[in-house]
Amino acid sequence: MSLKPEAIDLADVLERLERLETIREIEQLKYRYWRACDSKDVATFRDCFVEHGADIDYGPVGSFNDREGLVEVFATQALAKTPEGNWINNDIHHGKHPAITLVDKDTAVGRWTFLFIQIQRADQVVAQSAMEYDDRYVVENGEWKIQKSHVIPLSGMVFPVPAGAVIAPGPQVAGM
């Protein structure tokens, strides 16, 4: 493609720019979802999914046909504390290599490579896993939301927290 001014089709440039902006919005949705997981932000976590009819399969975490079932599991696990007031689980969610394809103006599909690390204070172990996310996104009330999210396990391991290790306190959550 030539970038000479006389060869530029403005309508084509605007259409490509709109596609890029849409893909960026979807990427930001997924990043917001993982940030909500790590910061234990239940409201933002919930808001990343369609209000009704989600198709979620997170393997050992469970399968859900609506966001509320997943939100309940997330809130129970993410907000659990020890008697001393420490988080039972500290999480790190990292997604990489997004491959987003726009199906139409209100639907897209995506695949992500994902690294998850969880410090499990109760068992004194660190769990690490890698997965692929297979997602579908739809526009709901003018915003992109996750409609389908399935994980495909790639690898994982669990190992003890080393003796003498200092576990950071984790996120500070408003109202907790």
Side-chain angles (χ1 to χ4, degrees):
M1 172 201 320
S2 172
L3 293 179
K4 296 178 184 173
E6 64 274 4
I8 292 177
D9 177 349
L10 187 55
D12 179 60
V13 171
L14 292 174
E15 182 181 312
R16 290 183 320 174
L17 179 60
E18 185 175 341
R19 279 195 317 263
L20 289 172
E21 288 176 338
T22 299
I23 289 169
R24 185 67 178 153
E25 286 176 35
I26 293 166
E27 289 173 348
Q28 289 299 306
L29 165 65
K30 195 69 174 188
Y31 294 138
R32 186 169 54 254
Y33 161 74
W34 284 320
R35 194 171 298 110
C37 291
D38 291 345
S39 64
K40 304 177 184 294
D41 181 345
V42 177
T44 299
F45 178 92
R46 173 184 284 113
D47 192 49
C48 290
F49 292 91
V50 293
E51 203 169 322
H52 301 287
D55 174 8
I56 303 163
D57 183 352
Y58 281 178
V61 173
S63 294
F64 310 90
N65 59 9
D66 201 81
R67 72 181 182 183
E68 293 308 318
L70 176 62
V71 170
E72 183 179 326
V73 169
F74 171 71
T76 299
Q77 292 181 4
L79 300 178
K81 289 192 168 188
T82 67
E84 299 79 29
N86 297 311
W87 297 116
I88 289 179
N89 297 314
N90 286 346
D91 298 340
I92 302 167
H93 294 72
H94 285 268
K96 301 286 184 189
H97 317 304
I100 309 296
T101 302
L102 302 178
V103 175
D104 57 41
K105 68 180 188 64
D106 294 325
T107 311
V109 294
R111 194 153 181 125
W112 297 79
T113 301
F114 173 65
L115 175 64
F116 175 69
I117 300 170
Q118 184 177 67
I119 301 167
Q120 300 172 3
R121 199 179 291 271
D123 297 329
Q124 286 295 294
V125 297
V126 177
Q128 178 180 325
S129 58
M131 301 174 224
E132 289 285 321
Y133 272 90
D134 180 20
D135 292 346
R136 182 172 43 253
Y137 312 97
V138 297
V139 175
E140 181 178 80
N141 300 321
E143 295 182 358
W144 284 98
K145 302 287 182 169
I146 301 167
Q147 189 279 320
K148 173 193 155 211
S149 189
H150 291 193
V151 297
I152 302 155
L154 299 175
S155 67
M157 68 177 164
V158 177
F159 52 90
V161 172
V166 176
I167 299 174
Q172 300 300 310
V173 177
M176 295 285 305

